[in-house]
Amino acid sequence: MQASDLNTPISQNPAFLKRMKQRSRADQRFRYYGLLAIFIALALLVTLLVSITFEARTAFSRHEVSLDLQLTDTDSRSVYRSIRSAVQNMAGDPADRDVRIEMSQLVSRLAAGDITETLQTSGVDLSATYPVRVPVSDEADRYLKGLATPVHRFDGLGFDQEGSRIDSDFSGAIQVIQRWHREQVSTIRHREYQPALRMRDGLARQAEAAPGDRQLAMRLAGAEHRVELIEARLSDFEARINAESLVLDEFTPSVLFRSGEGWMKAVSISGRMIEVEPVISGLDPDRQRGEILVIEQPESQRSIPDAQIVVLERFQTAGRISTHFNGALFSNADSSDAEFAGVLSGLVGSIMIILVTMGLAVPVGIAAAIYLEEFAPRNRWTSFVQVNINNLAAIPSIVFGLLGAAIFVNGVIIPIPFVDGVFRLGGGLGRGWPLVGGIVLALMTLPTIIIASRAALGAVPGSVRQAALAMGATRLQTVNHHVLPMAAPGILTGSIIGLAQAIGETAPLLLIGMVAFVAEMPQGATDRATALPVLIFQWSTRAERAWEPMTSAAIIILLLVMLVLNGLAVLMRLRYEK
Amino acid sequence: MMSDPILPSAAPAHAGAAPQEQAVKVRVRDVTVSYDGAMAIDSVNIDIPDKSVMSIIGPSGCGKSTFLRCLNRMNDTISGCSVTGDIRIDEEDVTARNVNPVMLRARVGMVFQEPNPFPKTVFENVAYGPKIHGLAATRAELEDIVETSLRRAGLWDEVKDGLHKPGTSLSGGQQQRLVIARAIAINPEIILMDEPCSALDPIATARIEELIDELRQNYCIVIVTHSMSQAARISQNTAFFDRGKLIETGTTEQIFTNPRDRRTHDYITGRYG
Ligand SMILES: Nc1ncnc2c1ncn2[C@@H]1O[C@H](COP(=O)(O)OP(=O)(O)OP(=O)(O)O)[C@@H](O)[C@H]1O
Ligand SMILES: [Mg+2]
């Protein structure tokens, strides 16, 4: 009771002192929570950025091969034929049709297009060889970047050849092959054998509990069969780990042997001996230097065949392979070949879309916000409008896509009663036009801009309006001269947030028909186009592995675009605040 | 009781003799204001003579600011505020629907209770009125108006080197004088001042009082003040409000020396409560 004595000075009041301590502790705790939250957010962001950049790193460079073309004509068909024969020549002009086709796949048909263009503008002497540099196929590129398969290289010094047998020190290769088999055994054990065992045992228990169930019995039999199959494979692999000699085929690592200009491929290996079949003739005559390549990934599990690897290695030793910045990524439109694909068409599409969106959503949004905040009377009707604007902001973007497709592209078809006819409302705009995308995204962005702008306008103190009005300014002058400049930073930020959201939107664009593969640059807002996020979506669904880093690279470019946009907003904000 | 002598310090000082009969500038009849149905001032009738100063005095919350806002129709901008009655300036009804409040507000300048300079430079603050009303044909004319207004508000010497600093960076008292300069820059016919000296030191207050005295030669001034001595010093007429009602109005001399109503008497002698 003494504690609450009114005569105790507050600094000696124990209740106050206790409370004070609690309060400062709560303060401290809150600071730590805040720091922790910021730290977690930053860590997530950094992880995201680092992993995307890491994923994308290989997309920013590409390997190109220098070829000396023997041109017969300057049209793209003949140019491509010359490219093919230059590559096949490097492969020792194989007779086998399949191998020839494999060779021609090392360089994309699209490479001929670029060359033809320069040829036709600059002209060329057909009798001389024409040096060109063309990008290798995406799979070859992945191989050269070391992404397609691990490759182990050993020296084959002092080898001996006897018919189709080569005698040298293959211990390194054998080690790699044995390790690979051991890894296979452990993978099969963990990924296949154990789950299969669990499945079988579970079924067996169930079957025991319900002896009459025929279906269960059949499933059990199936599971048992599966276990047996895996066991057979396992024992096969296990036997091969320590086998004296091994047959090498497309299900085992490949062993390639090189000497001089010649290349051969091992079909079996045992101790110091490999049995080979020639790939390219021309063995080193003094039999001193050889090289052993172990391609760890079996041929059946990778997209680049041994024959292509051999040619790439030959180009490599001939100094004809070089690494370059992948300019195509920035200067090309989309393409079905990863090595020629670029984001430019998507970037241009996105810019056109965002210009349309900006042109519609920003003025309309700001005007609506000004009207609602500064001019409209406060009544039930305006509060109804306001509630519905907030509702609009919560509508999933895909719905706007549906709406856009229905209204702008297809039109709403209304049957006219009693007459055998229909009335089409709207429609007429093309599928996949940036114009349509822009309109749809503008509708989506509008509520964001209105809400942000209203908040910014509402934050302007009323005394400013009063001052201007009392000076005899009209309401419009009050808004234009005083309220808008003060609200501009907030309005700007809101608009930019809305636009940044729009630029990353994918679903509505897909729905208005931006799904098709568009390999041309869009010529205008009323041309079929693609957009950056759509491109990212499409690339991420393409099967070849080369599209993975490309997708990440496109994501980085999209992030950069947003960064630039946000940077602009900050700059404009700073200028306004001065 | 009512003949109790008034504090000598509250006697009219340099306001001079009681005003000669001036023409009525503003005629207020049966003006009632309510905010969301709650009455703030009730059936006020008052005549404000031209070329003189009228003080509005009264306890806090009695409706002084509300009354002032009726005269330039600033109450129109407050949602939920309804004004009824009849206000005539120069015998012209300004409450009529067809009267443009923008026009009215150019004629009736106002200095608010809280200084509210625009978040713009000192120069632009003062130049704003002349600019929007097109009072200056050239930049030189505009600069001239700005300088004169600032001088009359007693602020020129303090800001002449910082005309392009933001008005909001001035001190409270300087801001108060800045908004006075802004209000007089367009030569309004009537100036409404809501406690213009509440944030000022005695020197600045004296300067503003001088200004008011000078403006009185040409304008009609209505000033709300909580200082009895100020009311006595500067005004020729005084109106006393209490709880939304106009209790008494008359010449300042009469109100301060011989108030008719007991409440007036209590208020000005400090016995209100
Ligand atoms: N904007 C408003 N909305 C609602 N009620 C208001 C508003 N302005 C004033 N009032 C009410 O009207 C009454 C009169 O207020 P007013 O501001 O006119 O008093 P005042 O005499 O100027 O007081 P003070 O001397 O404190 O400035 C008060 O009861 C106040 O609550
Ligand atoms: Mg007031």
Side-chain angles (χ1 to χ4, degrees), chain A residues 299-348:
Chain A
E299 203 174 4
S300 62
Q301 291 174 23
R302 59 180 134 89
S303 334
I304 182 158
D306 287 337
Q308 282 189 3
I309 291 180
V310 165
V311 180
L312 284 176
E313 291 290 336
R314 280 195 91 187
F315 277 128
Q316 188 85 279
T317 34
R320 284 176 173 270
I321 301 275
S322 48
T323 320
H324 297 272
F325 175 67
N326 186 5
L329 185 59
F330 298 93
S331 61
N332 278 13
D334 192 13
S335 163
S336 51
D337 291 341
E339 70 269 30
F340 283 100
V343 296
L344 191 60
S345 57
L347 196 64
V348 169

Side-chain angles (χ1 to χ4, degrees), chain B residues 35 40 59-67 69 78 113 194-195 226:
Chain B
Y35 294 104
S60 184
C62 68
K64 305 182 294 293
S65 301
T66 304
F67 172 72
R69 283 198 297 266
I78 298 171
Q113 195 163 354
D194 202 344
E195 298 180 42
H226 280 295

Side-chain angles (χ1 to χ4, degrees), chain A residues 378 463-475 477-478 481-482 485-486, chain B residues 72 74 77 102 105-106 108 110 112 116 118-120 128-129 132-133 182-183 186:
Chain A
R378 314 260 141 162
S463 65
V464 174
R465 293 185 188 86
Q466 300 265 308
L469 289 172
M471 286 304 297
T474 61
R475 281 214 278 191
Q477 284 174 321
T478 306
H481 299 163
H482 303 287
M486 287 180 81
Chain B
N72 65 346
M74 280 302 282
T77 67
V102 172
R105 289 176 198 143
V108 185
M110 184 165 192
F112 288 84
N116 56 356
F118 299 127
K120 294 176 186 275
Y128 185 66
I132 58 171
H133 296 299
R182 181 177 71 188
I186 57 171

